[in-house]
Amino acid sequence: MTAANAITPPNAIDKIFGVLAEPSTYKRLLFLVVGFPLGIFYFASMTPLLAVGVGLTPIVVGIGILAIALWIVSLYAVLER
């Protein structure tokens, strides 16, 4: 940072529209656009599976369904990494 930059503060236009020139803005926007449908898919696929697994736990079948749900969650975690 030079002395001239330290003395003069950035103007309002640079504060507002300066973000549009940064490439990281578009990377973060792409992450959000892709992440929203994936989050809906994760929720829509895991909620019924967990509900059925918990509901069928008194009958031993539910434990197997919960084990399958846990395996699918670990696959989703690998995908997110």
Side-chain angles (χ1 to χ4, degrees):
M1 181 188 287
T2 63
N5 288 341
I7 295 172
T8 58
N11 58 16
I13 293 174
D14 286 341
K15 283 184 182 178
I16 296 170
F17 296 110
V19 176
L20 296 175
E22 297 177 14
S24 64
T25 301
Y26 299 103
K27 285 189 239 178
R28 291 177 182 155
L29 186 62
L30 178 66
F31 175 76
L32 290 174
V33 167
V34 170
F36 181 67
L38 276 176
I40 291 174
F41 173 73
Y42 296 155
F43 180 77
S45 64
M46 292 310 300
T47 302
L49 192 61
L50 291 172
V52 168
V54 169
L56 290 177
T57 299
I59 309 170
V60 182
V61 175
I63 296 171
I65 293 173
L66 288 174
I68 292 170
L70 185 63
W71 177 70
I72 291 173
V73 167
S74 67
L75 289 178
Y76 288 164
V78 169
L79 178 66
E80 283 293 317
R81 280 187 212 132

